[in-house]
Amino acid sequence: MKRKTAPIKKRIIVPAVRPPNGHTAPPGVSVKIGKLTDALPDENNVNLHTPRGQSLLEESLRRRGFFRPLAAAGKGVKQPIIKAGNLTQESAVNAGMTEAIFVYTDGTRPIVHVRTDLAPDSPEAARLALEDNRIAE
């Protein structure tokens, strides 16, 4: 069922950032830019989200961008299927986001999403962490 959402108030445009110190993807890992909708939502997702949670998430994405990645399974399929972050993808699309960075890996090492625009002790980073925890309530 499609949820009704508020109209887009503000669109975030994030400039491309090169990794510091000339880092490149290690063997067995590839990275590409694609459409956010290139990953498909999981039709079997059983997590029923609240309208409050979706509203908070959309507003946070509009104001502050992403703080955590989506997780998808891609073996044997043309398009990866989102297994964690279905509501995040839907909210991001509703917030006007269209591009995504896809990191292809075998899952043996964690992926750390580093926001190069945030200082660890900044008020913005603190607000992002607080919002991340509040949305899950």
Side-chain angles (χ1 to χ4, degrees):
M1 171 170 43
K2 184 74 175 161
R3 295 179 182 94
K4 291 186 178 184
T5 58
I8 297 172
K9 296 178 187 172
K10 178 180 171 185
R11 198 168 190 180
I12 295 176
I13 299 175
V14 181
V17 177
R18 293 191 186 274
N21 304 323
H23 292 282
T24 58
V29 176
S30 64
V31 178
K32 76 167 193 159
I33 302 288
K35 293 180 184 176
L36 180 56
T37 54
D38 285 349
L40 301 175
D42 186 354
E43 294 177 1
N44 299 313
N45 183 24
V46 296
N47 193 344
L48 301 175
H49 301 284
T50 66
R52 175 190 172 276
Q54 181 173 16
S55 175
L56 288 171
L57 180 55
E58 282 183 29
E59 187 59 30
S60 178
L61 289 170
R62 281 188 184 103
R63 287 214 227 113
R64 303 183 211 299
F66 272 84
F67 198 50
R68 68 169 65 203
L70 310 175
K75 182 177 181 181
V77 293
K78 186 176 179 181
Q79 291 179 274
I81 307 296
I82 297 171
K83 301 310 272 183
N86 285 279
L87 180 66
T88 303
Q89 182 200 37
E90 181 182 338
S91 298
V93 168
N94 290 340
M97 297 177 179
T98 58
E99 276 191 347
I101 300 170
F102 288 79
V103 179
Y104 294 85
T105 177
D106 63 6
T108 57
R109 293 171 282 184
I111 297 170
V112 179
H113 178 194
V114 179
R115 289 276 305 257
T116 58
D117 62 326
L118 292 176
D121 57 352
S122 70
E124 187 75 2
R127 280 192 292 275
L128 259 170
L130 178 63
E131 287 174 5
D132 185 62
N133 288 316
R134 293 291 316 268
I135 290 166
E137 292 177 344

